[in-house]
Each structure stands twice: as C-alpha cells, then as structure tokens.
Amino acid sequence: EALQDLQNDLILQHQTEKTKLLRDLEERMTREKDAALEGMRSKLAADVLLLKQQHQHELDEILSTFEGISLEEVDSNRTTIQEQEVQLNCYKRAQRKLEEELRALMNELSCHKTALKQ
C-alpha cells in the first residue's frame, strides 16, 4: 500500500510538473506571438503612414507645378501613385491576414487552455 501511495504521489507530481511546464510554454508562446504581431503591426502602420505622406507630397508637387506640367509628367505621376496604391492595398491585405492569424492563434490557445483544464 505504501508503494502504491508513493507511486500515486509520483504520478501526481509528474502531472503537476507537466501541467506547469505546458502552462509556462503556452504563456511564453503567447508573449512571443503578441510581441511579434505588435512589431509587424507597428511596421505596417509606419509603412502605411509613409505611403500616405508620399501621396500627399506628390499631390502637392503636381498642384504646385500644374501650370507648366506636361502630359507625360502627369501620366508618370499618376502611374507612380497607382503603383503606391497597389502597394498600400497589399499592406492592408497583409494586415488583415495577420489579424486572421491572430484570431486563429487565439482560438488555438483557447483550445490548449481547455485541454489543460481537462
């Protein structure tokens, strides 16, 4: 009986340690994921702001030189703006994808938490 009690204690201790390690790992992964996502969000926000500023600068340039501007220059500027709008849309899609990945990770984390509780 003492051997059985010792064995049960060891099993319980092992399960407790395993649960703690899993919880610690889950917390570390969550922190790392959150930090990585925040870094990506910050970079995307900075890139979007830069693109907006570039658009405004180009618009200001076009307006200030409108009187003497040639049709070729207008077309060139229009093409540049369109290319930057495409790039901005790519950044927006990337941000939406990151948000979807974050939701998926949060769902996965919730599943892990549920599994740990059981």
Side-chain angles (χ1 to χ4, degrees):
E1 189 174 314
L3 182 59
Q4 183 65 38
D5 288 343
L6 180 59
Q7 191 176 21
N8 288 340
D9 287 345
L10 286 174
I11 289 171
L12 181 61
Q13 181 182 0
H14 175 73
Q15 287 176 337
T16 302
E17 289 174 9
K18 180 180 165 186
T19 301
K20 183 186 180 314
L21 288 173
L22 284 172
R23 187 173 29 253
D24 291 347
L25 177 62
E26 180 182 0
E27 289 172 1
R28 191 183 92 224
M29 288 174 61
T30 300
R31 284 191 305 273
E32 289 173 0
K33 172 199 56 138
D34 289 347
L37 286 173
E38 186 55 39
M40 287 185 244
R41 270 197 212 100
S42 295
K43 170 132 179 45
L44 280 174
D47 289 346
V48 167
L49 181 61
L50 179 63
L51 284 171
K52 285 179 181 178
Q53 291 170 344
Q54 287 173 347
H55 281 301
Q56 186 61 49
H57 177 71
E58 288 174 3
L59 180 60
D60 291 345
E61 279 184 12
I62 290 169
L63 291 175
S64 69
T65 58
F66 188 75
E67 299 268 339
I69 198 165
S70 70
L71 190 54
E72 291 81 20
E73 289 172 301
V74 170
D75 287 340
S76 173
N77 285 334
R78 182 179 296 127
T79 301
T80 301
I81 289 171
Q82 289 170 343
E83 289 168 352
Q84 289 180 342
E85 286 173 343
V86 167
Q87 188 177 6
L88 178 61
N89 287 333
C90 288
Y91 281 118
K92 287 179 180 178
R93 280 192 301 275
Q95 183 175 9
R96 284 192 297 272
K97 185 173 192 260
L98 284 172
E99 288 168 353
E100 289 172 12
E101 289 175 11
L102 175 60
R103 279 192 293 278
L105 285 170
M106 293 306 288
N107 287 338
E108 184 178 331
L109 180 61
S110 177
C111 290
H112 287 300
K113 285 182 181 177
T114 303
L116 283 174
K117 287 178 184 174
Q118 293 175 354

